[in-house]
Amino acid sequence: MNFVEELRWRGMVHTMMPGTEELLEKEMVTAYLGIDPTADSLHIGHLCGVMMLRHFQRCGHKPLALVGGATGMIGDPSGKSQERNLLDEETLRHNQECIKKQLGKFLDFESDAPNRAELVNNYDWMKDFSFLDFARTVGKHITVNYMMAKESVQKRLNGEARDGLSFTEFTYQLLQGYDFLHLYETKNCKLQLGGSDQWGNITTGAELIRRTNGGEVFALTCPLITKADGGKFGKTESGNIWLDPRYTSPYKFYQFWLNVSDDDAKRYIKIFTSLPKEEIEALTAEHEQAPHLRVLQKRLAKEVTIMVHSEADYEAAVEASGILFGNATSDALKKLDEDTLLSVFEGVPQFEVAKTEIEAGIKAVDLFTEKAAVFASKGEMRKLVQGGGVSLNKEKLAAFDQVITAADLLDEKYLLVQRGKKNYYLLIAK
């Protein structure tokens, strides 16, 4: 497989230094991509870069994932409007271990293959570097004029905020440049990959290598992923979509991909899956025949959920989706863990009821009219129950005065009431 061609048809090439393709055709190349370790999980904003590394390794080259332990302590001004919080070493080490575990689902770190992936942390080579050494070794090679001309610097100096740029952030491009130099000298790394907002930092590294030891290195960036409507990719009302199930449940993760627009699904299935070109073209053609079936979204959600989580998590997410939108059974409902149950019914009207009253046994009609306003009146509820239009925990309510007890509670604290086909109510026993 040809790496650049693979990225090109997937829409993952933004800018590339001349000579990059020739280098990749000539030899097994080592490339690195920097990952910011400010959290102990990656989020889907990282995924495009991670997929670049994955394709790179599948094309026979050697990927280095660089966790920016040192640079993470400073913060990159590119595309940011303010400085970020600085982390301590213990937090960085913890974050690094968690990130490596996640990357292990995309990259081969374990085999004996000559192109097995490696994780490196720039804190390891920066921590004992004194300021004077840095000024002599790195600072003297790059002029302030060169650094000032970078778009990321200009934007901050002339941007709307105009609150300037601290010296710490200004030196960021030199630190990142030194990473490239260090990896070039110690691991023969000749290529840096990154998002298009990193171009200025990457070219500073290439220039530093040229001026320090005359070496020639290359760069390739991917476009920053956006939504077709211009909105920010990977953000929802509740924040980032994380790869760690502690922060974003597999169900919510699956739903995110399932709900992307048709235009986005056509782009994302190329970027965020490893499906071959022919298969993606066939899926796209099938989708265009019947867009309402959402063939692309379903396949995209399946591929990414299995890759990040597991087949079992994907199947559970599909089953959970069926509870709200399909004809799922009470068994499927009972299998949900509490987090997924709450994710599925987020936004559904909720009522708190006294657990003691349910434990003592209470008639459904009293519970659903007096204790929780699911029905406006007892008469309305009676009519609906007689017509078969009321369900409790996905089972038809047999009688409007059926007695409800603790045995009916899901997870010992929830009751799911359905009025008609689409109206759900969640009762929480406290």
Side-chain angles (χ1 to χ4, degrees), residues 205-226:
E207 185 65 8
L208 180 64
I209 290 167
R210 190 182 71 76
R211 293 186 187 184
T212 304
N213 56 29
E216 188 181 21
V217 292
F218 301 88
L220 189 156
T221 61
C222 62
L224 293 183
I225 310 299
T226 54

Side-chain angles (χ1 to χ4, degrees), residues 315-344:
E315 282 162 8
V318 172
E319 205 165 338
S321 305
I323 287 168
L324 199 50
F325 310 110
N327 302 318
T329 61
S330 61
D331 288 344
L333 185 63
K334 285 169 188 154
K335 277 201 303 203
L336 292 189
D337 59 79
E338 186 175 12
D339 284 349
T340 309
L341 178 85
L342 291 174
S343 292
V344 172

Side-chain angles (χ1 to χ4, degrees), residues 28-45:
M28 182 182 93
V29 176
T30 299
Y32 94 89
L33 176 123
I35 292 169
D36 169 24
T38 43
D40 64 357
S41 170
L42 301 172
H43 53 72
I44 59 173

Side-chain angles (χ1 to χ4, degrees), residues 88 106 115 132 174 180 194 207 228 244 265 277 285 300 316 326 330 387 410:
D88 59 50
F106 299 85
N115 70 327
L132 290 174
L174 291 184
F180 204 174
E207 185 65 8
D244 190 317
K277 189 176 185 180
L300 169 68
S330 61
L410 301 167

